[in-house]
Amino acid sequence: MPATDPTPRKGFFTDTTVCIGCKACEVACKQWNQLPDDGFVFTGMSYDNTCHVGASTWRHVAFVERPIRLQGQTAGIGDFSWLFMSDVCKHCERAACLEACPTGAIIRTEFDSVYVQPDVCNGCGYCVAACPFGVIDRRKDDGRAWKCTLCYDRLKGDMQPACAKVCPTASITFGDQDELRSKAEQRLAELHGKGVTDAYLYGMDAENTPGTGRLNAFFLLVDRPEVYNLPPDPVVPTKKAHAAWQALAVAGLGMAAVALTAAFSVREASR
Amino acid sequence: MTRRYRDDPAAMQDGRNVNPGLGVLLGEGAQQQVKRVEEAFPAPGVTEVPPVHAVATAARPTYYGQPVLKAPVWIWTVPVYFYMEGLAGAAGALAGAVTLTGDEVLRPFVRRLRWVSVSCCAVSGGLLIADLGRPSRFLNMLRVFRPTSPMSMGAWMLAAISSFSGIAALLSDAPGALRRVGDAAGYAAAVVALPFTGYTAVLVNNTAVPVWQSTRRSLPFLFTASSMTSLSSLLQLTAHGAREQQIARRFGVAGRIAELVSSEAVERDARKVPEVARPLAEGRSGALWKAGKAMAVASLALSLLPARVKWARTASAVLGTAAALSTKLAVFQAGRVSSRNPHATFDMQRAGRGAAEVGHGSSNLVQLKVEGRLIPLDQAQGPTV
């Protein structure tokens, strides 16, 4: 139970309805963590030229620009709306990257966050293919896998992560899980009360994301997860791997039977 | 100070904008090395125009057609490793079976198989190390034993089978007790070889990549069978006695039949969601996949001709090798394509093949959009709809 934990579980609650897309979180994250540049690329598809969280970008603000009206939207000209969402590593309860890591470089910290130890990672890239959210990535010129650390250094110094600290609208809230949950439920009730019935919480509990368990970084969204580039029903691949291991066991025994048949049948035939 | 900073090319080019004369690099990402700034722009294909099928529609939204997942970062050495380690495993298993016959005439065959196994293991290790982002840290692979990670299990199996096969190969012709030690090691190698031969299928099945995850019930069969074909083809290409040829041929015919049957099963698994099966039918991965199947059929047909027809034997072996390589390359490439198609991930999960397959699905799945509004399914079934 969270209440009896020596160190309470920490995380983010990101309320996308108050995000203004200022990207201060992206900048603060880059600056505090001293992350390198990842190139000035003009995507030409939207105002979003960051596109994804990746090895050198641990916060990413999605800009969803659409020719539709949002629920309860009265302002603006014609059918047009923006949705913003600051995406980040979810620090899953069942973390695919951690379960896939063959070196033990990826660990669970005392804050319940998922942390990659750069001095251990040998850059095998398995976590990159395993993550159902497409968060962790390997930088080619560095060779190792990198992702959000939930500002492990700041947490150890009793400070909140840089992105939450800098967020001007409190779209990103950092805190103990229990606190965040009640805050999120309160906000959801408030929105529902105002008639924004589309609002829902993504990843707050295992009911919403049963495949990965509770997400330590969860979100308040107002449209389907796909709109924000989030998977609707993510699953840690390990949950499905037993079927593959079973198939492999049958295949291996089949090969043994064939090998024995081939070896012994020829011997008998030639005598 | 500003001048000095501008004069320091390293400080200017990594984009950190930290003047080493004024600041220290201690941040969580400070160790991240930069050679070329552009290297890090996330996920390949970001600046490409997304394929038509990835584009968003009102009913099937995506984020500007961008991928949800990160594409696997593995290079060409990985599919070649799939082939090589398969050879090593199949050779280890067949060597064990032939040793068990106790037939002295077949002893040179056993020795040769053991050497095939151990040399393929050595090449495999090299291929894997070449793929690592930090090759000097390859030994970290044996730092933990992690059953949830097929890659960890594979590293341990590779370490075990190369040691056992190596001992067995060296002691193949040793006198007396040493030879028995060699045989024991050979049997140990054969036991490890059974899961090792096709474990790379489990390795790719255990990812978020739609086409890989969806084929987890069939791909281990395909990879094991394809490895059997690989080995018999290699043996048929090199000169052997008639009985050795016969063993290799029987092993290979069974392998080719199993390969064809399981490749159909793989396709059937993938086709349950059309977007997931797309890379097996289209593009470079589709071409490789179809070529692999066609060559496996041809190789099987030729291997059924009488053994004395030499050209047929050679052609069958060449085609068998090409089929195995092509199939494993196709699966690898299909995974890369599949990971970049957001609809493959979304459709699969909407079709109840995400977490819903192993327990209950997300509450997101029971949301419906009715007249532009998100409505829980149980409410949507009311009289107003």
Side-chain angles (χ1 to χ4, degrees):
Chain A
M1 283 283 105
T4 57
D5 276 354
T7 313
R9 294 195 187 104
K10 303 286 185 184
F12 292 123
F13 163 50
T14 306
D15 178 357
T16 65
T17 56
V18 290
C19 179
I20 54 171
C22 71
K23 288 185 177 244
C25 50
E26 278 189 28
V27 175
C29 173
K30 277 249 180 197
Q31 214 166 21
W32 175 264
N33 293 305
Q34 298 182 322
L35 283 162
D37 193 354
D38 43 12
F40 284 100
V41 181
F42 183 61
T43 60
M45 57 165 201
S46 71
Y47 284 116
D48 178 12
N49 290 314
T50 311
C51 281
H52 299 267
V53 285
S56 306
T57 305
W58 298 348
R59 267 277 179 192
H60 158 241
V61 182
F63 282 48
V64 183
E65 178 184 342
R66 290 181 302 173
I68 58 165
R69 269 173 188 275
L70 297 174
Q71 190 175 29
Q73 181 183 337
T74 49
I77 305 157
D79 289 338
F80 182 81
S81 64
W82 284 104
L83 290 173
F84 303 112
M85 185 201 70
S86 182
D87 196 14
V88 70
C89 170
K90 320 297 181 291
H91 298 277
C92 316
E93 188 180 0
R94 284 280 307 267
C97 57
L98 191 155
E99 292 183 12
C101 180
T103 64
I106 306 184
I107 54 161
R108 176 82 56 186
T109 72
E110 65 271 37
F111 304 106
D112 209 39
S113 61
V114 179
Y115 179 76
V116 192
Q117 305 173 82
D119 55 335
V120 179
C121 174
N122 67 5
C124 74
Y126 200 26
C127 52
V128 178
C131 176
F133 298 101
V135 167
I136 195 163
D137 202 5
R138 191 174 87 177
R139 191 177 168 125
K140 212 196 281 171
D141 46 8
D142 176 78
R144 293 170 292 184
W146 296 88
K147 69 167 195 69
C148 162
T149 64
L150 204 73
C151 278
Y152 196 21
D153 51 352
R154 290 176 65 93
L155 295 201
K156 281 188 284 192
D158 237 1
M159 290 185 283
Q160 59 173 321
C163 55
K165 177 82 182 170
V166 81
C167 180
T169 64
S171 169
I172 303 170
T173 330
F174 171 81
D176 297 353
Q177 282 298 330
D178 292 351
E179 227 173 87
L180 292 179
R181 288 170 75 97
S182 58
K183 210 175 269 183
E185 272 163 353
Q186 222 175 319
R187 174 68 180 154
L188 185 69
E190 187 190 329
L191 284 172
H192 282 186
K194 285 181 178 168
V196 188
T197 50
D198 279 356
Y200 67 104
L201 296 168
Y202 180 89
M204 188 182 74
D205 51 35
E207 203 52 48
N208 185 259
T209 43
T212 52
R214 178 197 68 240
L215 306 179
N216 281 338
F218 61 95
F219 303 84
L220 190 152
L221 307 177
V222 293
D223 207 331
R224 290 164 60 176
E226 292 96 318
V227 168
Y228 303 89
N229 216 12
L230 290 169
D233 193 21
V235 61
V236 54
T238 325
K239 277 201 175 180
K240 294 184 170 184
H242 64 273
W245 284 115
Q246 275 166 9
L248 182 68
V250 178
L253 291 173
M255 180 176 69
V258 170
L260 288 169
T261 310
F264 280 89
S265 67
V266 172
R267 188 181 69 140
E268 275 153 20
S270 58
R271 275 206 177 149
Chain B
M1 281 317 232
T2 316
R3 266 190 74 86
R4 222 174 74 198
Y5 173 48
R6 290 238 168 92
D7 293 342
D8 185 342
M12 281 300 286
Q13 281 167 16
D14 68 1
R16 286 189 171 93
N17 301 320
V18 175
N19 182 340
L22 289 173
V24 279
L25 286 169
L26 288 173
E28 298 272 16
Q31 288 183 47
Q32 201 174 101
Q33 289 179 6
V34 182
K35 290 189 190 106
R36 281 181 55 242
V37 176
E38 299 78 24
E39 288 282 351
F41 195 71
V46 156
T47 50
E48 294 164 14
V49 177
V52 176
H53 60 79
V55 170
T57 61
R60 296 165 79 209
T62 65
Y63 186 68
Y64 303 104
Q66 293 293 304
V68 201
L69 306 173
K70 292 282 177 292
V73 290
W74 297 324
I75 58 172
W76 62 271
T77 56
V78 170
V80 179
Y81 166 74
F82 292 172
Y83 170 79
M84 273 294 163
E85 69 83 33
L87 267 182
L94 189 59
V98 178
T99 314
L100 205 62
T101 62
D103 197 325
E104 276 307 309
V105 185
L106 290 175
R107 202 64 197 177
F109 188 43
V110 169
R111 192 185 58 219
R112 217 171 299 139
L113 283 170
R114 287 173 178 176
W115 280 113
V116 167
S117 178
V118 74
S119 29
C120 287
C121 281
V123 177
S124 292
L127 289 168
L128 280 189
I129 292 169
D131 175 63
L132 290 179
R134 288 288 168 106
S136 60
R137 296 185 183 173
F138 73 96
L139 269 179
N140 280 8
M141 282 292 182
L142 304 180
R143 192 174 161 269
V144 294
F145 185 85
R146 181 164 279 170
T148 57
S149 171
M151 191 181 279
S152 172
M153 293 298 95
W156 284 103
M157 284 193 282
L158 177 61
I161 196 170
S162 19
S163 317
F164 289 139
S165 284
I167 294 167
L170 286 171
L171 298 179
S172 289
D173 301 315
L178 277 180
R179 187 178 134 148
R180 282 198 295 280
V181 171
D183 284 357
Y187 290 135
V191 170
V192 179
L194 301 184
F196 182 68
T197 306
Y199 95 89
T200 45
V202 181
L203 180 101
V204 299
N205 289 149
N206 186 53
T207 62
V209 178
V211 72
W212 288 348
Q213 195 183 89
S214 302
T215 53
R216 63 192 177 283
R217 289 192 180 85
S218 45
L219 201 64
F221 287 102
L222 177 61
F223 272 30
T224 305
S226 158
S227 302
M228 292 165 69
T229 307
S230 312
L231 177 69
S232 85
S233 300
L234 184 75
L235 295 174
Q236 284 177 311
L237 276 178
T238 45
H240 292 278
R243 290 168 64 192
E244 300 173 4
Q245 278 291 355
Q246 192 69 3
I247 293 175
R249 186 167 161 236
R250 288 189 184 177
F251 190 68
V253 167
R256 284 172 179 89
I257 293 169
E259 190 178 1
L260 285 168
V261 172
S262 49
S263 69
E264 283 306 313
V266 166
E267 272 189 36
R268 216 190 47 214
D269 276 352
R271 271 202 297 258
K272 285 170 186 163
V273 179
E275 282 296 335
V276 173
R278 193 186 279 276
L280 293 180
E282 289 176 9
R284 197 148 49 111
S285 54
L288 280 166
W289 177 258
K290 287 177 203 156
K293 280 209 300 188
M295 288 189 289
V297 171
S299 174
L300 174 65
L302 286 169
S303 69
L304 291 174
L305 291 178
R308 59 177 189 282
V309 191
K310 274 239 175 71
W311 69 265
R313 204 173 72 193
T314 310
S316 165
V318 170
L319 283 168
T321 303
L325 268 169
S326 181
T327 302
K328 285 180 172 172
L329 265 170
V331 170
F332 179 76
Q333 180 62 24
R336 296 224 287 218
V337 176
S338 187
S339 64
R340 288 187 211 171
N341 178 3
H343 284 311
T345 301
F346 293 155
D347 285 6
M348 188 177 153
Q349 297 183 6
R350 285 281 168 199
R353 299 190 176 276
E357 242 176 347
V358 283
H360 63 295
S362 164
S363 48
N364 297 325
L365 296 180
V366 294
Q367 285 173 350
L368 262 190
K369 249 201 158 172
V370 179
E371 289 163 7
R373 298 271 73 85
L374 279 171
I375 292 169
L377 202 57
D378 50 345
Q379 289 176 27
Q381 281 159 348
T384 50
V385 181

